[in-house]
Amino acid sequence: MHVNDIDAGLGHPGLEPLPCTGARLRRLNRRTTVFYEQYLRPLGLRLTQYSVLVHLGSAPQALLELADRLEMDRTTLTRSLRPMIERGWVVASRGSDARLRLLSLTPDGLALRERARGQWVRAQRSLEAVLGRAFTCELNQRLEEALARIKPSLPEEN
Amino acid sequence: MHVNDIDAGLGHPGLEPLPCTGARLRRLNRRTTVFYEQYLRPLGLRLTQYSVLVHLGSAPQALLELADRLEMDRTTLTRSLRPMIERGWVVASRGSDARLRLLSLTPDGLALRERARGQWVRAQRSLEAVLGRAFTCELNQRLEEALARIKPSLPEEN
DNA sequence: GTCATTTACGTGCATACGCACTTTATAGCA
DNA sequence: TGCTATAAAGTGCGTATGCACGTAAATGAC
């Protein structure tokens, strides 16, 4: 087996646990991140930044709303936005509710997003070429299914 | 579809790219990491630290060798080890080749590793309960297969 | 209208990640 | 033996992550 197995027996009743799903996910996630970032690097974008870009638009959007859609920690997003604001891709403003920090893309940000989308298409096609299109489709479905069963931990619902 | 889709059409020849596999992987990885860490938190362990623990033993092992096995950046491992050394779980020493930093678990580290393994078993069983054992097994196989096809980017081979 | 609660957000701290560059030590060759 | 190439590791920097705590604004009970 190619991936290191994290499971040591431990005498206990019932079925043995399967090899560590989390380790495989982490490892595959790392490799695919590198894979996609090869295509985004020419644009000076990290994968996280790209994912923020594609979830932003011209319409102002509150930070928490964006964080929820990205399923990213609010405070992580705050800090991830800083370099994007400095580079003029994103603007932050305040509306009638002065608590909300409203975020939107600048024209530069919109243009970058389009270029980045083009690169993403190349990356995804390339990934499908490596994995096989049918396999990629199946994998997507399994990931989808797993996501449906493992709900995000929502601090707001506890 | 539950996961946000990162793909916008873009007119181009051939098949449309599938929805973003990387986004699904990242999202599922985040959720499962939270899932496993619920079980490791009582031991004061992050998932990364746990994965380092289970790849260490009493026998001294060079940093780069460990990093390769963990498929983790060498410099990341250097810094990840620091708190584990400070807490007395890991010791670093030099052998005949003074370049190599040899790492091994202390008795405390070994004891912690065993307790952590117990927690991992609980986490993995719990994950299998949520996803279904058969589905987890299938998912593991797909991840395995994808890992076999997407090789790690090895700086040493370039 | 006042004040406690809630909501949205920021910051401090620690871990995690990886690239570029530097340092130190070994290996290999003249 | 000495000098260069290579190997292993450390450090600076920037990004990424999330928890605990703090702050300001809005909400709601009275």
Side-chain angles (χ1 to χ4, degrees):
Chain A
M1 204 169 289
H2 183 248
V3 168
N4 286 299
D5 288 321
I6 301 296
D7 45 345
L10 293 193
H12 48 56
L15 291 169
E16 291 296 310
L18 295 166
C20 189
T21 309
R24 282 157 180 73
L25 269 173
R26 282 160 58 78
R27 198 165 286 228
L28 185 57
N29 181 47
R30 189 150 36 200
R31 290 196 202 170
T32 54
T33 296
V34 170
F35 191 91
Y36 283 96
E37 286 192 342
Q38 287 172 357
Y39 291 82
L40 295 176
R41 181 174 298 274
L43 302 182
L45 279 174
R46 309 291 297 268
L47 193 52
T48 300
Q49 296 175 330
Y50 172 67
S51 73
V52 172
L53 273 190
V54 298
H55 283 87
L56 273 172
S58 311
Q61 186 177 176
L63 188 141
L64 189 55
E65 183 190 340
L66 180 60
D68 283 346
R69 292 209 303 138
L70 285 162
E71 205 168 304
M72 182 185 291
D73 187 88
R74 180 182 57 78
T75 67
T76 298
L77 181 55
T78 293
R79 282 180 258 246
S80 297
L81 284 169
R82 204 186 55 187
M84 304 180 72
I85 291 173
E86 285 172 357
R87 286 164 199 170
W89 303 335
V90 176
V91 280
S93 61
R94 302 276 173 181
S96 58
D97 188 336
R99 289 173 304 179
L100 278 59
R101 193 156 160 245
L102 300 174
L103 305 160
S104 54
L105 288 182
T106 63
D108 276 4
L110 282 165
L112 179 62
R113 192 183 68 175
E114 291 319 300
R115 287 203 296 154
R117 267 205 242 263
Q119 287 302 96
W120 172 80
V121 170
R122 289 182 186 86
Q124 181 68 26
R125 285 181 183 284
S126 178
L127 185 70
E128 289 171 23
V130 169
L131 291 180
R133 185 171 167 93
F135 179 85
T136 308
C137 194
E138 280 178 17
L139 179 61
N140 268 6
Q141 286 170 2
R142 309 283 169 171
L143 296 175
E144 212 59 73
E145 173 72 14
L147 283 167
R149 297 195 193 183
I150 305 179
K151 290 301 176 191
S153 50
L154 299 168
E156 54 265 47
E157 289 186 10
N158 297 341
Chain B
M1 205 168 288
H2 182 248
V3 168
N4 286 299
D5 287 322
I6 300 293
D7 45 345
L10 296 192
H12 47 57
L15 292 168
E16 292 296 312
L18 295 166
C20 190
T21 309
R24 283 158 179 73
L25 268 173
R26 281 159 59 77
R27 197 165 288 228
L28 186 57
N29 181 48
R30 188 149 34 201
R31 291 197 202 168
T32 54
T33 296
V34 169
F35 192 91
Y36 283 96
E37 286 193 341
Q38 288 173 357
Y39 290 83
L40 295 176
R41 182 175 298 275
L43 302 182
L45 279 174
R46 308 290 296 269
L47 193 52
T48 300
Q49 296 176 330
Y50 173 66
S51 73
V52 172
L53 274 190
V54 297
H55 283 87
L56 273 172
S58 311
Q61 185 177 176
L63 188 141
L64 188 56
E65 183 190 339
L66 181 58
D68 283 346
R69 292 210 301 138
L70 285 162
E71 205 167 304
M72 181 186 293
D73 188 87
R74 180 183 56 78
T75 66
T76 297
L77 181 56
T78 292
R79 281 180 257 248
S80 296
L81 284 169
R82 205 185 54 187
M84 304 180 72
I85 292 174
E86 286 172 357
R87 286 165 199 168
W89 303 337
V90 175
V91 280
S93 60
R94 303 275 174 181
S96 59
D97 188 336
R99 291 175 302 181
L100 279 60
R101 193 156 161 245
L102 300 174
L103 305 160
S104 54
L105 288 183
T106 63
D108 276 5
L110 281 166
L112 179 62
R113 191 183 69 176
E114 291 319 299
R115 286 202 297 154
R117 266 204 241 263
Q119 288 301 96
W120 172 81
V121 170
R122 289 182 185 86
Q124 180 69 24
R125 285 180 184 284
S126 178
L127 185 70
E128 289 171 24
V130 169
L131 291 180
R133 185 172 169 91
F135 178 85
T136 308
C137 195
E138 281 178 17
L139 179 61
N140 268 5
Q141 287 170 1
R142 309 280 169 172
L143 296 174
E144 217 48 83
E145 174 71 14
L147 282 167
R149 297 195 194 184
I150 305 179
K151 290 302 176 189
S153 51
L154 299 168
E156 54 266 45
E157 288 186 10
N158 297 341

